[in-house]
Amino acid sequence: MRRTIIAGNWKMHKTTAEAVAFIHEIAPLIQDRADVEVVLCAPYVALYPMRDALAGTTILLGAQDVFWKTKGAYTGQIAPGMLTDVGVSYVIVGHSEMRGRFGVPEPDFDETILRHFGETDASVNRKLKAAFEAGMTPICCVGETISERKAGQTDAIVSDQTTKALEGVPADLAARLVFAYEPVWAIGTGEVCDSDEANRVCGLIRSTVEKLYGADVAAQTRIQYGGSVKPDNAAELLAKEHIDGALVGGASLKPADLAAIVQASPK
Ligand code: 13P
């Protein structure tokens, strides 16, 4: 039985005070759903004050990225051990915004200045292994862009990203890993993926894991859907066979919305 995991990805939102206030507001709204794993993936600087605010709740702390080195001259980077030091247990790896795969055109994101944040399948793989090494659980994002979907490449892209992320990862860790299927065109657009199609692609991720590790591991790996998950579409998505949770962006910024998504999880 796979435990439902709802993770909020706050992206570049919330000050430390706002982050702490959020915890105080959401905790009573979800305290009857200890069956659901709830993770808040916050900006780095909010993590430390959040740890204290989370004491006495079942909510877990997550980060949005990690570097794979343990220490050294890597200006601007955060090591895995720095995250576990402040109580982080989950970390998002390979988000499409890190891979430079944007769904919504960004007029001020001049690609000649900053193509993307440099994420590749190889760096995703390294980050994932480093997160495990430090005792965290990675949430590994995969998903196609709209042009890839229109060209009929969805399945090839998703299974390729899944396979490359898992290169050299042993079976016991693959079983613990969380994947997030995030079709890039559904992120921040309000255009949620049809629930049957989301379930189909999540099933494809599971069968990719099965090909690599066998049915036992594939039955344990949890797969979230992400992309315009809202209180009013969460129940339908979360009821699907291969969808074990949600990675929530915009709707995770308001305690009542995220709580409603947690409450929409099947019992
Ligand atoms: P939205 O829920 O805002 O579409 O964002 C999804 C996402 O990117 C979560 O990682």
Side-chain angles (χ1 to χ4, degrees), residues 1-265:
M1 186 64 187
R2 298 184 293 268
R3 189 172 170 208
T4 301
I5 175 167
I6 306 292
N9 175 10
W10 284 350
K11 308 190 180 182
M12 201 170 70
H13 293 282
K14 294 197 188 294
T15 63
T16 54
E18 288 165 350
V20 168
F22 182 99
I23 292 165
H24 295 315
E25 271 191 64
I26 197 171
L29 305 178
I30 57 171
Q31 64 179 2
D32 60 325
R33 294 305 306 264
D35 56 316
V36 179
E37 211 162 7
V38 179
V39 186
L40 297 177
C41 300
Y44 293 131
V45 289
L47 294 171
Y48 184 62
M50 285 175 74
R51 174 173 67 174
D52 288 343
L54 287 172
T57 78
T58 54
I59 302 168
L60 298 169
L61 203 49
Q64 298 173 17
D65 189 28
V66 64
F67 193 51
W68 59 83
K69 294 282 190 177
T70 54
K71 60 180 154 187
Y74 305 105
T75 302
Q77 299 303 306
I78 298 283
M82 295 171 176
L83 295 177
T84 54
D85 184 46
V86 295
V88 170
S89 46
Y90 281 91
V91 59
I92 296 171
V93 171
H95 194 280
S96 60
E97 288 152 16
M98 290 292 298
R99 294 180 191 253
R101 301 162 71 83
F102 296 100
V104 188
E106 298 248 346
D108 61 347
F109 233 94
D110 185 341
E111 292 211 4
T112 59
I113 301 173
L114 179 61
R115 188 163 292 282
H116 51 66
F117 296 106
E119 198 80 284
T120 63
D121 288 325
S123 64
V124 168
N125 176 254
R126 285 197 184 194
K127 289 177 176 185
L128 206 139
K129 289 176 181 161
F132 273 133
E133 182 92 0
M136 292 182 286
T137 301
I139 298 175
C140 178
C141 300
V142 298
E144 81 288 357
T145 63
I146 191 62
S147 51
E148 288 162 348
R149 173 160 284 266
K150 283 183 176 157
Q153 295 168 344
T154 299
D155 293 14
I157 293 283
V158 169
S159 60
D160 189 56
Q161 288 177 345
T162 302
T163 304
K164 286 180 173 154
L166 287 168
E167 208 174 291
V169 174
D172 58 325
L173 296 182
R176 269 180 44 204
L177 182 67
V178 178
F179 276 103
Y181 169 52
E182 295 211 314
V184 178
W185 48 270
I187 294 176
T189 58
E191 195 187 331
V192 67
C193 183
D194 170 75
S195 60
D196 285 330
E197 174 61 5
N199 184 54
R200 188 191 70 78
V201 182
C202 289
L204 171 79
I205 294 171
R206 198 175 307 288
S207 64
T208 307
V209 174
E210 184 172 344
K211 268 185 215 133
L212 295 167
Y213 298 98
D216 276 0
V217 169
Q220 293 173 65
T221 304
R222 289 182 296 174
I223 304 168
Q224 299 174 310
Y225 166 78
S228 297
V229 176
K230 308 284 177 209
D232 63 357
N233 59 28
E236 183 179 332
L237 288 158
L238 294 169
K240 295 289 176 188
E241 180 188 356
H242 293 295
I243 302 181
D244 307 315
L247 184 55
V248 186
S252 74
L253 295 173
K254 288 195 185 137
D257 287 351
L258 189 61
I261 292 168
V262 172
Q263 292 293 352
S265 303

